Amino acid sequence: MALRNHQFRQAARPVGAVKRSDFDYVEAPVRAPGDNEVLVKILYISLDPAMRGWMNEGKSYIAPVQLGEVMRAGAVGKVLESKHPKFSTGEFVSGTLGVQEYATVDGKLLTKVDPDVAPLPVYLSALGMPGMTAYFGLLDVGKPQPGQTVVVSGAAGAVGSVVGQIAKIKGCRAVGIAGGKQKCDYLTQTLGFDAAIDYKSEDVKKSLREHCPQGVDVYFDNVGGDILDIVLTQINRNARIVICGAISQYNSTSGVKGPSNYLSLLVNRASMTGMIVFDYAARYGEAGREMAGWLKSGQLQTREDIVEGLETFPETLLKLFSGENFGKLVLKVADA
Ligand code: NAP
């Protein structure tokens, strides 16, 4: 019997938070692979804050998802049929496969993944795009030196949790900012952060002073907004601020709130640099090998928050914006 695909296609440009009506959930035939193409059965889909931005119209670092197009998403899956010389049936692969059950794609867009090295969802977290973001954002842009203080927001999330752990591996003091006691306890008690600040219940400025007695040398910003503004008041001379994301602003309907304390950059001869992980694609192999080594040695830990069922996609995506996800948010579509 011919395979049928289920897909989420973008139906509207969202205003504020994403709604189910911003998508069409459709059934469609599965296209057989042509020359150099591979048919992949999708097992796990990566849910990322960036998806919200990809749904907007306008110029960005990547083209917007077009109305009627399958929603863009990273995913891991199993090869069902291959007409590409590099891939065989039964192998596991990752790539930008979309929010759907099956994808027929050019093999050059796929990367093989090995479930013996790490469980498949880890290829969407520490060994995937968020891990690469943490690795290159911290090491190439933040340039932390041993003994320096690294502060990261969104610290219990996919990117932030890896940033803090790499900071520790590199001999830095790691201070995380996250929402809620459970996430903060996880940072200090499980991941080895030196301190954690619960921005929902603490005075962030006061806690930063307490936990960063030598000031802040690197701030890895995942959230933007008020937290960025507060950290700016605590930076050291020559500090590096890595602008990785600004999740507090993604659903704003009244424009992005920029930092009013930016003159701290001038006073401290500091820098604030935007980074996009895709610019480092040629070096993913290098980072992946080092991160796999840290995972194996136990220096790096990952946590995935796995939700089952493709059809829950719009509501599950919202967990990123309410902070309900605890670890890398992954949608499980099928068993391997
Ligand atoms: P994540 O941290 O796993 O999940 C998002 C977290 O953001 C939530 O769990 C929540 O944690 C926090 N959050 C949500 N709304 C917030 C608000 N208003 N204020 C403060 N915190 C809020 O997500 P991720 O995949 O690791 O992504 C983290 C950031 O990195 C995002 O900004 C994303 O866009 C960015 N990113 C950038 C690149 C790049 O190439 N530049 C690549 C990947 C990701 P709490 O419970 O702690 O509030």
Side-chain angles (χ1 to χ4, degrees), residues 178-221:
K181 183 174 178 345
Q182 201 192 4
K183 288 185 178 180
C184 287
D185 286 349
Y186 168 70
L187 295 179
T188 52
Q189 292 168 19
T190 305
L191 299 187
F193 281 53
D194 295 284
I197 298 169
D198 175 2
Y199 75 92
K200 290 186 173 164
S201 71
E202 293 178 45
D203 176 335
V204 175
K205 189 167 184 173
K206 195 164 154 260
S207 297
L208 274 173
R209 278 207 203 101
E210 182 189 328
H211 296 304
C212 307
Q214 311 293 326
V216 177
D217 298 294
V218 178
Y219 173 49
F220 193 106
D221 188 25

Side-chain angles (χ1 to χ4, degrees), residues 25-104:
Y25 184 55
V26 299
E27 194 184 290
V30 172
R31 190 169 63 77
D35 285 349
N36 288 315
E37 285 191 325
V38 179
L39 170 60
V40 182
K41 179 181 166 73
I42 294 173
L43 304 174
Y44 296 98
I45 296 176
S46 178
L47 299 194
D48 294 287
M51 293 166 105
R52 176 64 189 83
W54 299 339
M55 297 182 74
N56 292 338
E57 206 151 28
K59 188 172 173 287
S60 186
Y61 60 92
I62 194 168
V65 177
Q66 298 302 313
L67 298 184
E69 201 182 330
V70 175
M71 183 59 205
R72 182 185 296 140
V76 167
K78 192 173 188 175
V79 175
L80 282 190
E81 191 182 341
S82 174
K83 295 214 169 133
H84 190 284
K86 236 178 87 183
F87 298 97
S88 311
T89 302
E91 288 182 324
F92 294 98
V93 292
S94 70
T96 305
L97 302 175
V99 183
Q100 55 184 342
E101 291 171 310
Y102 299 93
T104 308

Side-chain angles (χ1 to χ4, degrees), residues 49 133 157-159 179 183 199 222-223 244-245 248 250 275 277 320 325:
T133 306
V159 175
K183 288 185 178 180
Y199 75 92
N222 285 317
V223 306
C244 173
S248 73
Y250 294 170
M275 74 83 61
V277 65
L320 292 168
N325 67 306

Side-chain angles (χ1 to χ4, degrees), residues 57-301:
E57 206 151 28
K59 188 172 173 287
S60 186
Y61 60 92
I62 194 168
V65 177
Q66 298 302 313
L67 298 184
E69 201 182 330
V70 175
M71 183 59 205
R72 182 185 296 140
V76 167
K78 192 173 188 175
V79 175
L80 282 190
E81 191 182 341
S82 174
K83 295 214 169 133
H84 190 284
K86 236 178 87 183
F87 298 97
S88 311
T89 302
E91 288 182 324
F92 294 98
V93 292
S94 70
T96 305
L97 302 175
V99 183
Q100 55 184 342
E101 291 171 310
Y102 299 93
T104 308
V105 292
D106 192 324
K108 72 177 181 218
L109 303 175
L110 297 172
T111 306
K112 282 187 201 180
V113 301
D114 183 352
D116 292 334
V117 171
L120 291 173
V122 176
Y123 288 95
L124 300 176
S125 63
L127 295 180
M129 192 272 281
M132 299 298 121
T133 306
Y135 184 94
F136 291 110
L138 181 64
L139 299 180
D140 270 52
V141 185
K143 296 187 183 353
Q145 302 303 311
Q148 292 193 329
T149 298
V150 174
V151 173
V152 56
S153 53
V159 175
S161 61
V162 177
V163 168
Q165 292 180 86
I166 297 178
K168 288 307 296 173
I169 291 168
K170 296 296 175 183
C172 298
R173 177 172 178 78
V175 178
I177 304 176
K181 183 174 178 345
Q182 201 192 4
K183 288 185 178 180
C184 287
D185 286 349
Y186 168 70
L187 295 179
T188 52
Q189 292 168 19
T190 305
L191 299 187
F193 281 53
D194 295 284
I197 298 169
D198 175 2
Y199 75 92
K200 290 186 173 164
S201 71
E202 293 178 45
D203 176 335
V204 175
K205 189 167 184 173
K206 195 164 154 260
S207 297
L208 274 173
R209 278 207 203 101
E210 182 189 328
H211 296 304
C212 307
Q214 311 293 326
V216 177
D217 298 294
V218 178
Y219 173 49
F220 193 106
D221 188 25
N222 285 317
V223 306
D226 293 338
I227 293 178
L228 168 60
D229 224 2
I230 294 169
V231 180
L232 272 167
T233 66
Q234 305 297 312
I235 59 173
N236 287 335
R237 190 164 173 161
N238 296 320
R240 284 82 63 202
I241 296 179
V242 184
I243 300 295
C244 173
I247 194 165
S248 73
Q249 304 298 306
Y250 294 170
N251 288 325
S252 170
T253 50
S254 56
V256 170
K257 184 173 178 281
S260 59
N261 293 326
Y262 81 97
L263 285 182
S264 180
L265 299 173
L266 182 154
V267 172
N268 291 296
R269 294 77 156 171
S271 67
M272 190 149 100
T273 310
M275 74 83 61
I276 294 291
V277 65
F278 303 130
D279 296 344
Y280 295 88
R283 293 172 57 199
Y284 286 173
E286 162 201 330
R289 280 186 293 279
E290 187 156 32
M291 304 265 275
W294 290 335
L295 282 171
K296 198 168 172 214
S297 67
Q299 285 170 287
L300 181 63
Q301 297 185 53

Side-chain angles (χ1 to χ4, degrees), residues 156-157 182-184 186 303-305 323-329:
Q182 201 192 4
K183 288 185 178 180
C184 287
Y186 168 70
R303 177 181 179 123
E304 289 75 39
D305 184 340
E324 278 172 81
N325 67 306
F326 193 170
K328 167 66 204 164
L329 188 60

